[in-house]
Amino acid sequence: MSTLFLFAAISLFFLAVYALCAGGAYLLVWSVGRERYAAQRIQKYPRPAQVGREIAWSVLSILILSSLLTITWLTAQAGWSLGYFEVDQYGWTYLAVSVAVMAVVHDTYYYWAHRLMHHPKVFRHVHKLHHTFTNPTPFASYAFHPLEAVVEVAWYAPLAFVLPVHPVAVAAYIVILTVLNVISHLGYEFYSPGVARWFITSTHHNLHHARSKGHFMLYFNLWDRWMGTNMPEYEAAMQRKEDEPVALRYHGAHE
Ligand SMILES: [Zn+2]
Ligand SMILES: [Zn+2]
Protein backbone atom coordinates (compact mmCIF):
# COMPACT_ATOMS: atom_id res chain seq x y z
CA MET A 1 0.00 0.00 0.00
CA SER A 2 1.47 3.32 -1.00
CA THR A 3 1.93 5.98 1.67
CA LEU A 4 -0.38 8.34 -0.18
CA PHE A 5 -3.13 5.73 -0.41
CA LEU A 6 -2.74 4.94 3.30
CA PHE A 7 -2.97 8.64 4.19
CA ALA A 8 -6.06 9.02 1.97
CA ALA A 9 -7.75 5.97 3.53
CA ILE A 10 -7.09 7.13 7.13
CA SER A 11 -8.16 10.72 6.32
CA LEU A 12 -11.36 9.61 4.58
CA PHE A 13 -12.30 7.35 7.49
CA PHE A 14 -11.63 10.10 10.04
CA LEU A 15 -13.49 12.73 7.98
CA ALA A 16 -16.45 10.36 7.51
CA VAL A 17 -16.67 9.73 11.27
CA TYR A 18 -16.52 13.50 11.90
CA ALA A 19 -19.14 14.25 9.22
CA LEU A 20 -21.51 11.56 10.53
CA CYS A 21 -21.15 12.44 14.24
CA ALA A 22 -20.97 16.25 14.06
CA GLY A 23 -23.32 16.50 11.06
CA GLY A 24 -25.77 14.01 12.57
CA ALA A 25 -25.82 15.81 15.93
CA TYR A 26 -26.21 19.19 14.24
CA LEU A 27 -29.06 17.92 12.06
CA LEU A 28 -30.93 16.02 14.79
CA VAL A 29 -30.43 18.40 17.72
CA TRP A 30 -29.63 21.85 16.30
CA SER A 31 -31.93 21.78 13.23
CA VAL A 32 -34.77 19.24 13.50
CA GLY A 33 -34.78 19.21 17.32
CA ARG A 34 -34.31 22.96 17.84
CA GLU A 35 -37.81 23.47 19.32
CA ARG A 36 -38.07 20.08 20.94
CA TYR A 37 -34.80 20.32 22.83
CA ALA A 38 -34.94 24.06 23.56
CA ALA A 39 -34.94 23.36 27.32
CA GLN A 40 -31.65 21.46 27.02
CA ARG A 41 -29.85 24.35 25.27
CA ILE A 42 -26.94 25.62 27.38
CA GLN A 43 -26.37 29.05 25.77
CA LYS A 44 -28.26 31.19 23.31
CA TYR A 45 -27.81 30.33 19.62
CA PRO A 46 -24.53 31.45 18.02
CA ARG A 47 -24.38 33.38 14.78
CA PRO A 48 -24.66 30.91 11.87
CA ALA A 49 -21.48 32.22 10.19
CA GLN A 50 -19.22 30.37 12.63
CA VAL A 51 -20.19 26.87 11.40
CA GLY A 52 -18.19 27.27 8.18
CA ARG A 53 -15.09 28.25 10.16
CA GLU A 54 -15.59 25.36 12.59
CA ILE A 55 -15.77 22.89 9.68
CA ALA A 56 -12.78 24.36 7.82
CA TRP A 57 -10.48 24.22 10.87
CA SER A 58 -11.75 20.76 11.81
CA VAL A 59 -11.05 19.35 8.34
CA LEU A 60 -7.53 20.81 8.41
CA SER A 61 -6.90 19.34 11.89
CA ILE A 62 -8.21 15.92 10.87
CA LEU A 63 -5.79 15.90 7.91
CA ILE A 64 -2.92 16.73 10.29
CA LEU A 65 -4.03 14.05 12.78
CA SER A 66 -4.34 11.55 9.91
CA SER A 67 -0.87 12.32 8.60
CA LEU A 68 0.61 11.61 12.06
CA LEU A 69 -1.43 8.40 12.31
CA THR A 70 -0.06 7.44 8.87
CA ILE A 71 3.49 7.89 10.16
CA THR A 72 2.81 5.68 13.21
CA TRP A 73 1.27 3.04 10.89
CA LEU A 74 4.46 3.12 8.78
CA THR A 75 6.65 2.73 11.89
CA ALA A 76 4.61 -0.38 12.79
CA GLN A 77 5.00 -1.75 9.26
CA ALA A 78 8.73 -1.20 9.48
CA GLY A 79 8.80 -3.09 12.78
CA TRP A 80 10.03 -0.09 14.77
CA SER A 81 6.96 0.36 16.98
CA LEU A 82 4.79 -2.33 18.58
CA GLY A 83 1.82 -1.86 16.20
CA TYR A 84 0.56 -5.19 14.83
CA PHE A 85 -1.75 -6.22 12.01
CA GLU A 86 -3.07 -9.69 12.95
CA VAL A 87 -5.85 -9.53 15.56
CA ASP A 88 -5.16 -13.17 16.54
CA GLN A 89 -1.71 -12.18 17.75
CA TYR A 90 -3.20 -10.85 21.03
CA GLY A 91 -6.95 -11.57 20.62
CA TRP A 92 -10.08 -9.42 20.76
CA THR A 93 -10.09 -9.02 24.55
CA TYR A 94 -6.64 -7.47 24.44
CA LEU A 95 -7.74 -5.25 21.55
CA ALA A 96 -10.65 -3.91 23.65
CA VAL A 97 -8.32 -3.40 26.64
CA SER A 98 -5.84 -1.51 24.43
CA VAL A 99 -8.64 0.93 23.48
CA ALA A 100 -9.40 1.49 27.19
CA VAL A 101 -5.68 2.04 27.94
CA MET A 102 -5.51 4.61 25.14
CA ALA A 103 -8.49 6.45 26.66
CA VAL A 104 -6.92 6.61 30.15
CA VAL A 105 -3.50 7.69 28.82
CA HIS A 106 -5.03 10.27 26.48
CA ASP A 107 -7.28 11.66 29.26
CA THR A 108 -4.35 12.23 31.62
CA TYR A 109 -2.12 13.60 28.86
CA TYR A 110 -4.86 15.90 27.62
CA TYR A 111 -5.55 17.38 31.06
CA TRP A 112 -1.93 18.51 31.48
CA ALA A 113 -1.37 19.45 27.82
CA HIS A 114 -4.58 21.49 27.94
CA ARG A 115 -3.43 23.29 31.08
CA LEU A 116 -0.11 24.05 29.41
CA MET A 117 -1.95 25.38 26.35
CA HIS A 118 -3.72 27.84 28.66
CA HIS A 119 -0.40 29.31 29.81
CA PRO A 120 -0.45 32.91 28.51
CA LYS A 121 2.78 32.42 26.55
CA VAL A 122 1.42 29.33 24.78
CA PHE A 123 -2.29 30.13 24.56
CA ARG A 124 -2.27 32.74 21.80
CA HIS A 125 -0.02 30.70 19.52
CA VAL A 126 -1.68 27.31 19.95
CA HIS A 127 -5.07 27.21 21.66
CA LYS A 128 -6.64 30.63 21.13
CA LEU A 129 -8.28 29.60 17.87
CA HIS A 130 -10.34 26.85 19.55
CA HIS A 131 -11.48 29.44 22.09
CA THR A 132 -12.67 31.91 19.46
CA PHE A 133 -15.73 29.64 19.48
CA THR A 134 -17.13 30.80 22.84
CA ASN A 135 -20.46 29.21 21.95
CA PRO A 136 -19.46 26.09 19.95
CA THR A 137 -21.56 23.81 17.76
CA PRO A 138 -20.73 20.09 17.28
CA PHE A 139 -18.65 21.05 14.22
CA ALA A 140 -16.10 22.72 16.53
CA SER A 141 -15.04 19.28 17.85
CA TYR A 142 -11.75 19.40 15.93
CA ALA A 143 -11.56 23.14 15.21
CA PHE A 144 -7.93 23.55 16.28
CA HIS A 145 -4.96 25.59 15.16
CA PRO A 146 -2.52 23.29 13.25
CA LEU A 147 -0.07 23.49 16.19
CA GLU A 148 -2.80 22.38 18.56
CA ALA A 149 -3.66 19.47 16.21
CA VAL A 150 -0.07 18.26 16.69
CA VAL A 151 -0.40 18.61 20.49
CA GLU A 152 -3.73 16.73 20.36
CA VAL A 153 -2.15 13.62 18.79
CA ALA A 154 1.40 13.79 20.21
CA TRP A 155 0.56 11.38 23.06
CA TYR A 156 0.00 8.53 20.62
CA ALA A 157 3.49 8.36 19.08
CA PRO A 158 5.38 7.33 22.27
CA LEU A 159 2.52 5.05 23.32
CA ALA A 160 2.87 3.10 20.05
CA PHE A 161 6.35 2.08 21.21
CA VAL A 162 5.22 0.61 24.55
CA LEU A 163 1.68 -0.63 23.81
CA PRO A 164 0.86 -3.00 20.92
CA VAL A 165 -2.04 -1.37 19.03
CA HIS A 166 -3.98 -2.80 16.09
CA PRO A 167 -5.42 -0.50 13.37
CA VAL A 168 -8.95 -1.66 14.35
CA ALA A 169 -8.27 -0.38 17.89
CA VAL A 170 -7.18 2.98 16.44
CA ALA A 171 -10.33 3.09 14.28
CA ALA A 172 -12.53 2.27 17.29
CA TYR A 173 -10.72 4.93 19.30
CA ILE A 174 -11.33 7.54 16.59
CA VAL A 175 -15.06 6.75 16.72
CA ILE A 176 -15.21 6.93 20.55
CA LEU A 177 -13.12 10.14 20.65
CA THR A 178 -15.29 11.80 18.02
CA VAL A 179 -18.62 10.79 19.61
CA LEU A 180 -17.50 12.09 23.01
CA ASN A 181 -15.96 15.23 21.49
CA VAL A 182 -19.24 15.96 19.71
CA ILE A 183 -21.15 15.49 22.99
CA SER A 184 -18.71 17.92 24.70
CA HIS A 185 -19.31 20.52 21.97
CA LEU A 186 -23.02 19.78 21.55
CA GLY A 187 -24.20 22.88 23.41
CA TYR A 188 -27.17 20.91 24.74
CA GLU A 189 -27.23 19.02 28.04
CA PHE A 190 -28.90 15.61 28.09
CA TYR A 191 -27.05 13.98 31.00
CA SER A 192 -28.41 13.69 34.52
CA PRO A 193 -26.47 15.61 37.22
CA GLY A 194 -25.02 12.36 38.62
CA VAL A 195 -22.99 11.82 35.43
CA ALA A 196 -21.20 15.13 35.98
CA ARG A 197 -19.27 13.86 38.99
CA TRP A 198 -17.40 11.26 36.95
CA PHE A 199 -17.51 12.23 33.29
CA ILE A 200 -17.29 15.26 31.05
CA THR A 201 -20.62 16.78 30.05
CA SER A 202 -21.55 19.33 27.43
CA THR A 203 -22.16 21.86 30.23
CA HIS A 204 -18.62 21.27 31.55
CA HIS A 205 -16.91 21.94 28.22
CA ASN A 206 -19.36 24.67 27.23
CA LEU A 207 -18.39 26.57 30.40
CA HIS A 208 -14.74 26.13 29.40
CA HIS A 209 -15.40 27.66 25.97
CA ALA A 210 -17.44 30.51 27.46
CA ARG A 211 -14.95 31.43 30.20
CA SER A 212 -11.55 30.18 28.93
CA LYS A 213 -10.53 28.98 32.39
CA GLY A 214 -10.73 25.77 34.43
CA HIS A 215 -12.32 22.58 33.08
CA PHE A 216 -9.39 20.96 31.27
CA MET A 217 -10.47 17.31 31.16
CA LEU A 218 -11.20 15.18 28.12
CA TYR A 219 -13.33 12.24 29.37
CA PHE A 220 -13.26 11.68 33.13
CA ASN A 221 -13.98 14.19 35.86
CA LEU A 222 -10.97 13.09 37.89
CA TRP A 223 -8.01 15.40 37.23
CA ASP A 224 -10.21 18.50 37.34
CA ARG A 225 -11.59 17.37 40.70
CA TRP A 226 -8.20 16.29 42.07
CA MET A 227 -6.52 19.53 41.00
CA GLY A 228 -9.42 21.83 41.97
CA THR A 229 -9.94 23.18 38.45
CA ASN A 230 -13.70 22.65 38.28
CA MET A 231 -15.71 25.88 38.46
CA PRO A 232 -17.88 26.10 41.59
CA GLU A 233 -20.98 26.88 39.52
CA TYR A 234 -20.60 23.70 37.44
CA GLU A 235 -22.55 21.35 39.70
CA ALA A 236 -25.25 23.98 40.16
CA ALA A 237 -25.57 24.40 36.39
CA MET A 238 -26.11 20.66 36.06
CA GLN A 239 -28.70 20.69 38.88
CA ARG A 240 -30.82 23.38 37.30
CA LYS A 241 -34.54 22.67 37.11
CA GLU A 242 -36.15 21.59 33.84
CA ASP A 243 -38.58 24.53 33.81
CA GLU A 244 -35.89 27.21 34.05
CA PRO A 245 -35.68 29.47 31.00
CA VAL A 246 -33.59 28.41 28.02
CA ALA A 247 -29.96 29.58 27.94
CA LEU A 248 -29.81 30.42 31.63
CA ARG A 249 -27.94 27.43 32.95
CA TYR A 250 -25.21 29.81 33.96
CA HIS A 251 -24.70 33.53 33.66
CA GLY A 252 -22.33 35.67 31.65
CA ALA A 253 -21.83 33.40 28.67
CA HIS A 254 -24.39 34.70 26.23
CA GLU A 255 -23.59 36.17 22.84
ZN1 LIG B 1 -13.61 22.54 22.88
ZN1 LIG C 1 -9.05 25.36 26.47
Side-chain angles (χ1 to χ4, degrees):
M1 199 170 355
S2 77
T3 303
L4 193 62
F5 181 82
L6 183 62
F7 169 69
I10 293 173
S11 302
L12 280 176
F13 174 76
F14 210 145
L15 287 169
V17 172
Y18 166 72
L20 274 174
C21 294
Y26 192 84
L27 182 71
L28 290 176
V29 180
W30 283 71
S31 299
V32 179
R34 188 178 170 120
E35 302 274 307
R36 184 172 177 187
Y37 302 124
Q40 271 74 37
R41 184 81 188 110
I42 300 169
Q43 295 192 44
K44 288 178 179 170
Y45 289 94
R47 297 177 189 93
Q50 80 174 42
V51 169
R53 285 185 62 239
E54 289 176 342
I55 293 173
W57 286 111
S58 288
V59 168
L60 179 63
S61 289
I62 287 171
L63 292 176
I64 293 168
L65 299 177
S66 299
S67 63
L68 292 165
L69 290 176
T70 304
I71 292 169
T72 54
W73 183 305
L74 292 174
T75 63
Q77 265 184 340
W80 297 339
S81 66
L82 298 183
Y84 65 103
F85 297 93
E86 297 295 330
V87 173
D88 290 344
Q89 198 173 334
Y90 297 100
W92 286 103
T93 307
Y94 171 79
L95 192 143
V97 170
S98 70
V99 174
V101 171
M102 281 195 276
V104 172
V105 170
H106 190 186
D107 184 71
T108 297
Y109 166 84
Y110 183 77
Y111 177 84
W112 293 103
H114 194 183
R115 279 192 77 162
L116 178 68
M117 288 193 291
H118 274 265
H119 187 282
K121 287 205 167 103
V122 182
F123 183 82
R124 63 199 161 103
H125 302 295
V126 180
H127 191 46
K128 189 178 172 190
L129 186 130
H130 190 62
H131 277 278
T132 59
F133 306 105
T134 53
N135 188 356
T137 83
F139 290 115
S141 299
Y142 290 102
F144 307 130
H145 186 280
L147 285 175
E148 177 169 357
V150 174
V151 172
E152 295 283 337
V153 77
W155 62 279
Y156 181 65
L159 188 73
F161 286 87
V162 290
L163 182 79
V165 179
H166 190 277
V168 168
V170 177
Y173 192 74
I174 286 172
V175 173
I176 293 166
L177 172 68
T178 307
V179 167
L180 295 177
N181 234 341
V182 163
I183 292 172
S184 295
H185 294 91
L186 188 58
Y188 287 75
E189 190 54 76
F190 292 102
Y191 288 145
S192 65
V195 173
R197 182 156 179 81
W198 298 103
F199 299 99
I200 194 167
T201 62
S202 209
T203 302
H204 190 273
H205 198 63
N206 198 283
L207 265 163
H208 179 69
H209 273 267
R211 306 265 177 90
S212 275
K213 60 168 189 176
H215 293 202
F216 301 108
M217 68 189 185
L218 180 63
Y219 302 133
F220 310 109
N221 192 2
L222 295 175
W223 282 109
D224 269 318
R225 267 204 284 140
W226 292 336
M227 304 310 292
T229 45
N230 274 322
M231 294 177 206
E233 57 268 52
Y234 171 48
E235 302 268 330
M238 287 296 292
Q239 298 280 355
R240 119 216 193 284
K241 295 184 190 75
E242 278 297 312
D243 56 357
E244 268 184 314
V246 179
L248 287 179
R249 279 184 178 246
Y250 52 84
H251 301 285
H254 308 150
E255 278 216 348

